[in-house]
Amino acid sequence: MKKGQLGFLTGTHAVNDLYQGAIPAMLPFLMSERHYSYAAVSGLAFAASGVSSLFQPLFGVLSDRKSRPWLVPAGFTTAAVGVVLAGLAGNYMVTWLCVALAGIGIAAYHPPATSQARAAGGSSQKAMSVFSVGGTIGGAAAPSLVTLVIGSAGFDGSYLLATPALAMVILWALRGPWMRRRGYTKAASPVTAASTKPAADPARHTDDWRAFGRLVAVIVGWSIPFVTVTSLVSLHAQRDLGQSTAAGAATLTSYTAAGAVGTLLGGWVGDRYGRMTSVRVGYLVALPALLGIAWAPAFPVLVASATLFGAAMFLPFAAQVTLGQDYLPNRPGTASGLTLGMAMAAGGLCSPVFGWLADSSGLRSAFYALLLVFVVPVVMALRLPDRVMDSPDAPSPEPVTATNTSGTQ
């Protein structure tokens, strides 16, 4: 495991997903200051997650064909520019386009960064969970940062939100010389490393598109409640339970921060008990937690349910990323782009539907409908097959030498 490379990539993931989390954190301010409806803010959630998800497979294919490490800084920088411009824009259509630009930047970042993280961490579920939790921490920090900046300076101060990206761009520029002075060597990709050693079972190194398709279907079902809860839970606290904007932001922070704990716990469970355990336990716990969000009669119940739901939803996250890459061992970038991208598009595409339902019937009705939808991926997740690949970090088997037992030449 290359801890230095993994740690640096984790930092970039925190910055990138800070801007991914900034969009839902801005929605309550947009509703109060620009008088957007639930359907309008759900449309912005689609622009952020849906557009991003649709572009991620494209960037995944590009990263598989040729190494493009520059996509990592270009991605989170573009995301920052989109978020800042969305805050400064006054027209809804311009705001939507700026949010979509941020989503494209987020899409450009994830496939190459995830492939680099898998190469640096090898087959360890903990390594992937550490990288994943960087993004979760960034998303958890977003509501506090947005509340601090926009709550005190208004949307005119949105340019201050670019500070984390600017700092990380400077660190990225200094990274090359620093790594060379320390004798840094680039980590080989899992596919390259596996191809340099004899495989006991060549079938294990072929792409299993059927199993991968089942995984994508599960993640589609995962993304719908994830995106919808992210965009509506703070509004649920304010509109249904009479809480302040700050309390709504705190609910969203608790939800995303719990995801960081769930991600790390999922990596530990995956290494100790097998990654399918983290997948199955996560989905089984998330279902009643979502029921608690829909039913919550008081603010503490909502916070507790959202916290449990966030942790449970991210318990299988690292396992799903590595499982997708092991189903398609020859296309890790494509696997990352499709599992983190196209599958996530469903969440963005369906978010406006639940926004319209909230407009017509209330937020609780939207959450109860979401609960019924979530039953399907829970059942499917329990039936996903595992696939164990040769670890890139494992030593190559020693060549077998014939021994002469007869004593003759």
Side-chain angles (χ1 to χ4, degrees):
M1 182 187 300
K2 295 181 178 292
K3 294 182 179 179
Q5 182 184 8
L6 183 66
F8 188 83
L9 286 168
T10 300
T12 65
H13 199 188
V15 171
N16 184 78
D17 282 20
L18 182 147
Y19 295 105
Q20 188 171 25
I23 301 301
M26 292 170 67
L27 298 183
F29 294 99
L30 291 169
M31 288 192 72
S32 61
E33 295 193 22
R34 300 181 185 175
H35 310 292
Y36 292 160
S37 66
Y38 288 127
V41 297
S42 296
L44 292 176
F46 164 73
S49 60
V51 172
S52 170
S53 301
L54 291 171
F55 272 85
Q56 277 198 50
L58 171 62
F59 288 111
V61 172
L62 291 176
S63 64
D64 279 340
R65 289 180 176 177
K66 181 181 179 182
S67 177
R68 292 176 171 86
W70 56 268
L71 280 175
V72 174
F76 65 72
T77 302
T78 303
V81 170
V83 168
V84 169
L85 293 178
L88 297 175
N91 178 272
Y92 178 79
M93 194 64 228
V94 175
T95 302
W96 194 96
L97 291 173
C98 292
V99 170
L101 176 65
I104 293 173
I106 293 165
Y109 169 87
H110 275 116
T114 304
S115 295
Q116 290 178 38
R118 181 68 190 276
S123 61
S124 171
Q125 300 299 303
K126 290 181 182 178
M128 184 55 70
S129 71
V130 167
F131 171 74
S132 299
V133 85
T136 308
I137 291 172
S144 298
L145 179 63
V146 169
T147 301
L148 176 65
V149 172
I150 298 179
S152 59
F155 281 107
D156 289 340
S158 296
Y159 66 91
L160 295 171
L161 296 174
T163 304
L166 180 61
M168 185 54 71
V169 165
I170 294 173
L171 290 176
W172 184 276
L174 298 174
R175 168 178 173 264
W178 183 80
M179 288 290 190
R180 284 193 294 271
R181 283 197 298 270
R182 292 178 62 88
Y184 166 79
T185 56
K186 183 178 179 181
S189 72
V191 175
T192 303
S195 66
T196 61
K197 65 179 68 177
D201 183 4
R204 292 169 61 188
H205 294 277
T206 59
D207 295 332
D208 188 348
W209 285 98
R210 182 176 180 180
F212 182 76
R214 293 170 62 182
L215 175 65
V216 168
V218 170
I219 299 176
V220 165
W222 179 95
S223 71
I224 294 172
F226 169 71
V227 173
T228 305
V229 171
T230 300
S231 60
L232 297 180
V233 70
S234 60
L235 297 171
H236 186 28
Q238 296 173 53
R239 301 296 175 90
D240 293 337
L241 301 177
Q243 300 300 309
S244 65
T245 301
T251 305
L252 183 58
T253 299
S254 298
Y255 168 59
T256 51
V261 177
T263 303
L264 290 175
L265 181 60
W268 178 82
V269 170
D271 280 348
R272 187 172 180 85
Y273 300 105
R275 61 184 168 189
M276 300 314 298
T277 300
S278 62
V279 170
R280 290 160 185 159
V281 171
Y283 280 92
L284 287 174
V285 174
L287 190 63
L290 181 57
L291 174 61
I293 292 174
W295 167 77
F299 183 62
V301 177
L302 175 63
V303 173
S305 298
T307 301
L308 180 60
F309 184 68
M313 287 292 277
F314 279 89
L315 198 69
F317 191 82
Q320 289 179 160
V321 173
T322 60
L323 189 62
Q325 291 175 333
D326 286 349
Y327 284 155
L328 302 183
N330 299 305
R331 296 173 175 83
T334 301
S336 299
L338 287 171
T339 53
L340 298 175
M342 186 65 75
M344 286 292 291
L349 289 169
C350 293
S351 185
V353 175
F354 291 98
W356 292 324
L357 182 59
D359 279 331
S360 60
S361 304
L363 282 165
R364 290 190 188 276
S365 297
F367 283 120
Y368 279 119
L370 192 64
L371 182 68
L372 295 176
V373 171
F374 190 47
V375 171
V376 176
V378 170
V379 173
M380 293 184 66
L382 302 180
R383 299 176 60 83
L384 280 175
D386 198 0
R387 192 186 200 196
V388 180
M389 303 299 295
D390 294 332
S391 169
D393 299 327
S396 299
E398 294 294 332
V400 178
T401 306
T403 56
N404 190 338
T405 58
S406 66
T408 60
Q409 298 295 325

